[in-house]
Amino acid sequence: MADPAPPYHDRDGYIWFDGELVPWRDAKIHVLTHALHYASAVFEGERMYGGEIFKLRPHTERLIASAAMLDFEIPYSADQIDAACIAACKANNLTDGYIRPIAWRGSEQLGVSAQAAKIHLAVAAWNWGSYFDKNERLRGIRVGLAQYRRPDPATIPSKAKATGLYMICTIEKHRAERAGYADAMMLDYRGHVAECTGANIFFVKDGELHTPTPDCFLNGITRQTVIELAKRRGIKVVERTIMPEEVATFSECFIVGTAAEVTPVREIGPDTFKPGAVTETLLNDYMAEVQPKKVAAE
Ligand code: PMP
């Protein structure tokens, strides 16, 4: 799917870059940046709703933890990273938008070893509506089946939100889009249902919510929020191993993520679903939950 113009490098506004707000077009790095060659970068995706970044601190903590999994330390505290995210929104006059912090190894050393490479941090923020087409979203999206699988945690730090983990996601998203799907469902290295290319997955059966145990992929912040919202509604949540053959037995399906929010699914490969009451309830609960909490008037 073509990204709506203008390209990301050619926009107005400001980007928080190593402690300063720089004009958007000047936020550049050298081609010999370690992260470009060896995928030594970790990032976040956050959304601001009504002037507040939803679950900012958990995102910042995950960024710091992802960096630690890649054996580097971000040279800013959690408070400073939170402040950078807020400053990036403010500098671009955003009250609703998407925030992308990224930390990476620089160009002081280029080779597998990068002990001397400086660690950088940048935060960009921009207006970004629904990840999936709005009309499509209400009807439910069509999801294809991925060929690559989420890797064994013994082969890669699979819980890091690290750029390298997205190589197979981009390949699979492209494959899905070429076949007319909006996304692809990935299995894990054991052949269990895992997630989509940028979102976690939930199924409904007999009024209960079933979702794969996140033991080799991100336990998304949205996933955790939706589980909490379901429990508040008295909906039973079952985290377990889900085999691909079982997918046909579920009545509803939806995917969740900061960008995807709660997106109903109407088709996964040969199996079809009808976005129903559970999906609709949780979609509405999620959209209410992300709004800043109003302090009651005195
Ligand atoms: N899985 C993958 C592969 C993702 O990219 C994302 C988006 N960060 C998620 C799950 C959902 O995570 P979150 O709800 O924290 O955005």
Side-chain angles (χ1 to χ4, degrees), residues 16-286:
W16 190 100
F17 196 125
D18 286 341
E20 281 175 66
L21 285 162
V22 303
W24 192 283
R25 293 175 182 82
D26 298 341
K28 292 179 180 170
I29 56 169
H30 197 269
V31 290
L32 295 180
T33 294
H34 192 271
L36 181 61
H37 296 249
Y38 298 99
S40 53
V42 296
F43 65 104
E44 273 304 317
E46 306 165 359
R47 273 192 194 264
M48 175 176 262
Y49 296 94
E52 265 183 44
I53 300 173
F54 183 62
K55 299 210 168 164
L56 173 56
R57 184 49 68 98
H59 280 286
T60 293
E61 284 171 353
R62 184 169 68 184
L63 184 73
I64 293 169
S66 295
M69 287 182 239
L70 266 68
D71 193 33
F72 69 81
E73 192 178 335
I74 299 172
Y76 299 95
S77 66
D79 283 344
Q80 288 172 317
I81 298 170
D82 282 358
C85 294
I86 294 165
C89 290
K90 209 165 174 187
N92 295 291
N93 297 316
L94 293 171
T95 51
D96 290 86
Y98 183 79
I99 302 102
R100 169 56 58 88
I102 182 158
W104 71 95
R105 287 194 167 105
S107 47
E108 289 73 14
Q109 190 180 358
L110 192 71
V112 173
S113 182
Q115 310 272 0
K118 188 179 156 188
I119 305 302
H120 299 271
L121 176 69
V123 184
W126 62 91
N127 246 316
W128 197 22
S130 197
Y131 188 54
F132 295 104
D133 183 80
K134 259 248 138 52
N135 298 321
E136 179 100 330
R137 178 176 180 168
L138 299 172
R139 289 173 57 210
I141 57 163
R142 298 178 63 235
V143 172
L145 297 170
Q147 292 176 20
Y148 280 108
R149 294 178 169 199
R150 302 309 305 172
D152 183 339
T155 66
I156 200 159
S158 53
K159 298 275 203 146
K161 192 165 169 65
T163 56
L165 269 307
Y166 285 86
M167 176 176 62
I168 55 174
C169 299
T170 298
I171 293 169
E172 292 302 348
K173 181 102 173 170
H174 286 185
R175 198 198 311 279
E177 286 174 349
R178 274 195 292 270
Y181 294 109
D183 204 351
M185 185 181 79
M186 305 180 85
L187 305 181
D188 71 12
Y189 63 103
R190 297 160 295 199
H192 304 161
V193 172
E195 58 169 355
C196 285
T197 63
N200 292 119
I201 194 160
F202 284 88
F203 299 97
V204 178
K205 189 189 240 171
D206 303 327
E208 291 178 357
L209 216 47
H210 294 248
T211 190
T213 308
D215 57 4
C216 61
F217 54 86
L218 286 184
N219 179 7
I221 291 166
T222 318
R223 178 186 183 280
Q224 295 171 52
T225 306
V226 165
I227 288 175
E228 172 70 33
L229 292 170
K231 288 182 175 166
R232 256 190 242 166
R233 286 268 179 196
I235 297 169
K236 189 174 168 200
V237 182
V238 189
E239 294 182 69
R240 64 176 177 89
T241 297
I242 297 175
M243 298 306 292
E245 306 82 65
E246 253 188 277
V247 168
T249 69
F250 296 112
S251 56
E252 296 177 42
C253 174
F254 57 89
I255 62 171
V256 307
T258 298
E261 298 171 320
V262 173
T263 296
V265 172
R266 73 168 190 271
E267 205 176 307
I268 299 182
D271 303 317
T272 55
F273 310 92
K274 204 159 171 43
V278 176
T279 302
E280 202 180 331
T281 300
L282 292 170
L283 195 162
N284 291 335
D285 283 0
Y286 183 74

